[in-house]
Amino acid sequence: MHLAYPAVLSALLFCTGLYGVLARRNAILVLMSVELMLNAVNLNLVAFDVWLSRAAKETLHSGQALTLFTIAIAAAEIGIGLAIVLAVHRNRGTSDIDKLRDTAEGPDAAGSGTEGPGTPAAGKAEATA
């Protein structure tokens, strides 16, 4: 098998994942796109390991070892990432990335910009400053 086939497939998977990270608004879909990018890297590692093992008589199969390490890191990343997304969704009520720009603000702290000096929101902001 030629090295070009898995390399092209890996490039397509990585580009699809990159598009998903840049274009999606949902945090769970962004995490899935990151996983797709990691799987593209894993495919590249294994393909190059097989290609290099045919050229050398004694190999260490370091590409496959790195792939197992990447899979373990990806499993931990998705577990922690989903826990964070679920905690944010419980607190904020949304997993939209655009609405979660500043985690220090509450869901109504952004407001509509109509608060004056006598409103409770302005007094709360002055008290915390």
Side-chain angles (χ1 to χ4, degrees):
M1 183 169 79
H2 296 286
L3 183 62
Y5 298 133
V8 168
L9 179 62
S10 176
L12 289 174
L13 283 175
F14 193 85
C15 290
T16 304
L18 185 65
Y19 173 74
V21 167
L22 296 176
R24 298 294 177 187
R25 301 287 182 239
N26 191 350
I28 295 175
L29 291 177
V30 170
L31 285 174
M32 288 174 54
S33 297
V34 169
E35 290 294 321
L36 193 62
M37 291 167 63
L38 286 172
N39 285 332
V41 170
N42 287 340
L43 179 62
N44 242 352
L45 284 171
V46 170
F48 274 97
D49 183 52
V50 169
W51 182 65
L52 290 174
S53 69
R54 289 183 182 172
K57 292 181 180 178
E58 295 181 13
T59 59
L60 297 175
H61 296 292
S62 57
Q64 293 178 14
L66 281 172
T67 299
L68 289 176
F69 181 72
T70 307
I71 289 171
I73 294 297
E77 176 257 335
I78 200 68
I80 292 172
L82 280 176
I84 291 171
V85 168
L86 287 175
V88 167
H89 183 69
R90 284 184 189 152
N91 289 337
R92 299 281 180 102
T94 184
S95 62
D96 190 4
I97 294 175
D98 287 338
K99 295 180 182 174
L100 303 175
R101 292 283 183 196
D102 190 13
T103 57
E105 295 180 359
D108 59 346
S112 60
T114 60
E115 292 89 23
T119 59
K124 184 178 177 183
E126 290 173 3
T128 58

